[in-house]
Amino acid sequence: MREIVLDTETTGFEPGEGDRIVEIGAVELFNHMPTGKTYHQYINPERSMPQEAFQVHGLGDEFLSDKPKFAQIGLDFLNFIGTDSVLVIHNAKFDMKFLNAELGWAGLPLIPDDRALDTLAMARRRFPGSPATLDALCRRFSIDNSSRTLHGALLDSEILAEVYLELIGGRQPGFGLQPVETGQKRQAGANQDWRPKPRPEPLPPRLTAEEAEAHAAFVAQLGEAAIWNRYD
C-alpha cells in the first residue's frame, strides 16, 4: 500500500480570499515504511507575503520571487502522488482546500477528499481532550523535532510520517527491516561458514515406550491402508 505524507505552507488561511500555497513537501511510504522518495517544491504565490504568515514559515517575497508558479509544477506534483495513494495530512481539510483550489486555477484534475487521511482527527480520537498539534504529538511519542524552529513543508512531512506510524500502532525498528545482502557482500564473506551447525548429539525422543505402544495399536486398527504405514 502506497501512502504519501504531505504538508503545505501558505500565505494565509483562505484561498477564496486570495491566499496561495508557497511550499509543498511530501514523503512516500510503502506498507508503512519510508521509501526514501520525497517531493519538495517552493512556489511563487504571485502576491505579497503577509507578515503573520512570514513569521510562521519564514518564506518571504524575495526568496519566492524566482520560484515556479503552481501552474508550472502542478502536474509534477500530481504525478508524484499518483491516482490511488492515500494522502496522510495533519488537518487534511486545510491542505486539501488549498491544493484543490490551486489545481482548479491551473486547470488540472482535483483530488477527491476521500483520498485524505487526517492525522489530526486520528489523534483527537485516540487522545480525547489532549493537545493534538504536531509538536504536542512529537512530545507524546518522544519524536525529536528540535530542528523545527519554523514550519517547513518537507521537514513537517518527515516528522508527521513518524507521528503517523505511532498513531497506527507504533514503530518497530529492526522488525524485518534489515537490508538484503548484496551478492558482493555475500561473496566477500563466502569463506565464513554462516550455516547453522548440527547438534553434536541428537536430542533424545520425548515419546515414552507406553505412548509408542498405544500409537502402534491404534494404527493396527486402521488396517494396512493407514497413512502411518507409509513411513518407517
Side-chain angles (χ1 to χ4, degrees):
M1 177 178 65
R2 185 173 186 258
E3 297 168 307
I4 303 296
V5 185
L6 70 83
D7 182 57
T8 64
E9 299 297 336
T10 68
T11 64
F13 299 101
E14 291 297 335
E17 297 177 3
D19 286 315
R20 305 292 299 270
I21 293 176
V22 295
E23 185 185 11
I24 302 175
V27 175
E28 182 186 63
L29 305 179
F30 190 77
N31 291 337
H32 304 321
M33 288 300 302
T35 66
K37 294 182 180 178
T38 62
Y39 176 89
H40 184 227
Q41 182 65 62
Y42 293 112
I43 300 164
N44 183 343
E46 304 179 75
R47 56 154 293 170
S48 61
M49 181 66 67
Q51 183 62 24
E52 296 82 0
F54 177 78
Q55 290 175 347
V56 172
H57 48 60
L59 303 176
D61 295 338
E62 182 178 357
F63 176 78
L64 296 171
S65 62
D66 62 348
K67 303 301 183 287
K69 300 172 184 178
F70 187 92
Q72 297 172 284
I73 61 91
L75 187 58
D76 287 340
F77 169 71
L78 288 176
N79 288 337
F80 179 81
I81 68 172
T83 58
D84 56 359
S85 55
V86 176
L87 306 181
V88 180
I89 310 172
H90 202 66
N91 192 12
K93 184 177 180 180
F94 178 88
D95 296 81
M96 291 293 288
K97 173 177 65 177
F98 269 93
L99 287 169
N100 279 329
E102 294 281 7
L103 290 168
W105 294 329
L108 294 168
L110 305 187
I111 305 169
D113 287 336
D114 60 7
R115 284 186 60 185
L117 178 63
D118 191 352
T119 52
L120 177 61
M122 292 175 64
R124 286 174 173 169
R125 287 194 300 268
R126 184 169 174 184
F127 309 112
S130 298
T133 64
L134 193 56
D135 285 334
L137 293 170
C138 285
R139 290 192 295 271
R140 176 179 289 276
F141 295 128
S142 300
I143 293 171
D144 181 13
N145 67 338
S146 57
S147 57
R148 192 176 186 248
T149 54
L150 290 173
H151 287 217
L154 183 58
L155 174 61
D156 285 1
S157 295
E158 293 169 343
I159 293 173
L160 179 58
E162 294 189 64
V163 168
Y164 169 61
L165 295 178
E166 292 288 358
L167 285 172
I168 62 175
R171 295 163 294 175
Q172 299 183 41
F175 182 73
L177 306 180
Q178 296 300 323
V180 178
E181 287 187 341
T182 64
Q184 183 177 4
K185 289 183 178 179
R186 173 58 60 85
Q187 185 175 1
N191 293 330
Q192 300 176 3
D193 189 359
W194 54 270
R195 291 169 296 182
K197 306 290 191 301
R199 292 179 179 273
E201 296 182 6
L203 291 174
R206 301 181 64 182
L207 186 68
T208 66
E210 291 79 7
E211 290 171 334
E213 291 177 3
H215 178 70
F218 171 75
V219 173
Q221 293 176 2
L222 298 177
E224 295 182 358
I227 191 171
W228 285 278
N229 292 326
R230 302 179 190 177
Y231 302 93
D232 292 332

